[in-house]
Amino acid sequence: MAKQKIGIFDSGIGGTSIWREIHELLPFEDTIYLADSINAPYGVRSKQEIIELSRKNTIKLLELGAKIIVVACNTATTNAIDELRKEFDVPFIGIEPAIKPAALNSKTKTIGILATKGTLSSSLFTKTSELYTQGLNVVEVEGNGLVELIEDGKINSEEMDSLLDRLLLPFKKNPIDYLVLGCSHYPYLIPKLKEKFSPDLSIIDSGEAVARQTKSILEKKNLLNIDFSQKGTCFFYTNYNPSVLNKIINPEKNEFQVEQLDF
């Protein structure tokens, strides 16, 4: 089992931000990344639709030899991971907005959360927020349209700049000192976000914490690959146009291959 792969899925290319952290921490592990881009974004779908899509992705990852599954999608985690854990006998790692560190470290007692509608309206997000944000002013913004532009490869477009300027207004009107990114696509916007805010603003995503948790669970389950003789192989699959995913994971050289796959 330890020789099998770490399976990762997202509603598109965004979860590659999580994959990068896992690959950096566990370079000798084989990984499979599944981009369900044809159904992106999950954030506008019903809870039942999200569960069914997550179930479909899980089945495909298990067919491809996954020993653990990372749900690299905030919306899928908050809406579907409990159901997945009930149905499948494999460890699952979820991802949710890093509210706790922002709440504990905020000096202004005002934090911002940029997330999808599906995440912000979920019961898991509500519970986490209520647990850590007592006495804080929490400014929540739905990032409507951001995932679609990222999936279309328009991160550095005028269209993205215009949309961000409009979406970020509530944060500009409040003295937030922490901005929590509640979607795995959004770390790809960090350079742009830094341009639009004061250097004093701290921007937090969950990637590093998810990677550490993945390693911890693999160790506890005796699933960690301890063969350090060669680097792990990384497999990337998408059910949509592979060019954007290829560009995201190969910004400088063609180190990794992307395959189009129906699932």
Side-chain angles (χ1 to χ4, degrees):
M1 284 288 288
K3 291 289 189 180
Q4 289 185 278
K5 307 172 186 71
I6 297 174
I8 305 162
F9 79 80
D10 182 36
S11 60
I13 65 172
T16 52
S17 63
I18 306 297
W19 164 80
R20 286 187 191 282
E21 297 286 355
I22 292 172
H23 183 55
E24 185 174 328
L25 184 64
L26 301 167
F28 299 98
E29 294 282 352
D30 290 346
T31 58
I32 316 170
Y33 184 85
L34 214 59
D36 190 21
S37 291
I38 202 168
N39 291 304
Y42 283 6
V44 299
R45 296 180 176 275
S46 69
K47 181 180 179 70
Q48 192 55 44
E49 283 180 303
I50 296 164
I51 290 171
E52 290 304 318
L53 290 170
S54 299
R55 183 176 181 275
K56 167 187 68 76
N57 297 336
T58 296
I59 290 170
K60 178 54 68 175
L61 284 173
L62 292 175
E63 289 175 356
L64 293 170
K67 62 183 176 181
I68 188 171
I69 293 178
V70 180
V71 183
C73 172
N74 294 78
T75 303
T77 296
T78 52
N79 287 274
I81 200 166
D82 288 342
E83 296 301 320
L84 296 177
R85 284 172 172 154
K86 290 175 187 176
E87 183 173 353
F88 298 97
D89 186 23
V90 62
F92 283 91
I93 306 294
I95 171 176
E96 57 182 296
I99 298 171
K100 182 179 178 179
L104 293 178
N105 292 292
S106 175
K107 299 293 191 298
T108 65
K109 299 304 177 186
T110 302
I111 65 173
I113 301 174
L114 181 65
T116 66
K117 179 181 179 180
T119 293
L120 293 174
S121 62
S122 69
S123 59
L124 179 57
F125 173 83
T126 301
K127 288 177 184 176
T128 304
S129 184
E130 289 176 349
L131 185 61
Y132 296 113
T133 62
Q134 296 297 320
L136 269 66
N137 178 28
V138 181
V139 183
E140 299 177 3
V141 171
E142 292 180 12
N144 297 326
L146 294 177
V147 170
E148 290 90 333
L149 289 179
I150 294 169
E151 287 289 325
D152 285 341
K154 297 179 179 179
I155 293 174
N156 295 308
S157 66
E158 290 184 9
E159 196 176 350
M160 177 65 81
D161 276 319
S162 177
L163 179 58
L164 281 174
D165 286 340
R166 180 169 55 82
L167 290 175
L168 299 177
L169 280 175
F171 299 138
K172 297 288 185 70
K173 293 177 181 178
N174 291 272
I176 67 168
D177 57 354
Y178 278 83
L179 176 59
V180 179
L181 302 182
C183 173
S184 58
H185 283 72
Y186 297 171
Y188 286 110
L189 298 175
I190 288 177
K192 283 200 165 293
L193 293 170
K194 286 183 175 179
E195 290 175 3
K196 296 177 182 296
F197 284 101
S198 159
D200 297 330
L201 179 71
S202 297
I203 302 174
I204 305 180
D205 70 88
S206 306
E208 188 177 341
V210 172
R212 290 197 305 269
Q213 178 68 358
T214 302
K215 181 181 180 182
S216 175
I217 296 300
L218 288 174
E219 288 173 335
K220 288 178 182 177
K221 302 285 187 180
N222 293 316
L223 293 174
L224 195 67
N225 179 23
I226 56 174
D227 179 3
F228 302 146
S229 61
Q230 61 181 4
K231 290 286 186 73
T233 303
C234 303
F235 303 86
F236 295 88
Y237 300 100
T238 178
N239 53 16
Y240 195 56
N241 184 347
S243 62
V244 177
L245 177 56
N246 186 62
K247 187 176 180 180
I248 283 285
I249 63 169
N250 292 306
E252 296 177 356
K253 56 183 180 179
N254 291 324
E255 184 178 1
F256 306 106
Q257 287 191 328
V258 177
E259 292 184 37
Q260 191 163 3
L261 182 70
D262 290 330
F263 61 89

